[in-house]
Amino acid sequence: TKESSRLVKDANKALASGNRKEAEALFHQALGNDNRNASALIGLSDLEFDKGSYQRAADYAEKATAAAPKNGGYHLRLGDALYKLLRYTDARRAYEKAKELGVREASDRLDKLKTKLGGK
């Protein structure tokens, strides 16, 4: 909805000015208006990731990729959260999807994963 999109814009402005609490509240309000707003979901994922709440970050990122499956950046962030959770197979899958969608950083993440797992 338009209202949901406006709230995400406001949340991103709050985030840019360092007001994480306000941003989080606005992202939640946006989801109240449209629970499939991928931008709000990935915003919450990023906030949780930065707090070290990787499981919650992964949960929000999974919802974001379901709502916007062609957004490679969302798949990359999902992979990052899964990597932090030591879910390497799932992380690889997310990175491969991001790479398939044209995200350049995904190749570096896949290389890092190979190194971590002993070159498999």
Side-chain angles (χ1 to χ4, degrees):
T1 66
K2 263 191 185 136
E3 178 65 7
S4 187
S5 297
R6 186 188 63 75
L7 287 162
V8 167
K9 267 192 195 122
D10 291 348
N12 284 322
K13 278 184 202 155
L15 202 53
S17 66
N19 193 338
R20 301 171 69 76
K21 277 261 183 270
E22 184 186 349
E24 186 173 2
L26 288 163
F27 283 134
H28 280 294
Q29 286 174 36
L31 289 177
N33 280 284
D34 174 9
N35 68 352
R36 289 187 50 82
N37 184 320
S39 299
L41 290 164
I42 206 67
L44 288 168
S45 175
D46 290 345
L47 286 170
E48 294 296 341
F49 189 93
D50 291 346
K51 282 194 264 184
S53 301
Y54 303 121
Q55 184 58 59
R56 291 180 62 149
D59 292 344
Y60 281 124
E62 278 175 357
K63 289 178 178 154
T65 58
K70 295 208 182 318
N71 186 313
Y74 294 177
H75 288 279
L76 188 76
R77 272 127 94 196
L78 172 58
D80 289 346
L82 293 168
Y83 183 90
K84 289 285 193 180
L85 291 168
L86 313 181
R87 289 174 51 192
Y88 300 129
T89 303
D90 295 330
R92 179 187 293 122
R93 209 171 298 127
Y95 290 147
E96 284 170 351
K97 185 68 179 167
K99 184 177 178 180
E100 184 185 305
L101 291 167
V103 178
R104 280 203 317 266
E105 300 91 336
S107 292
D108 293 339
R109 301 291 209 293
L110 285 164
D111 290 343
K112 183 172 139 185
L113 198 51
K114 267 189 203 136
T115 302
K116 179 85 161 177
L117 301 179
K120 287 181 192 164

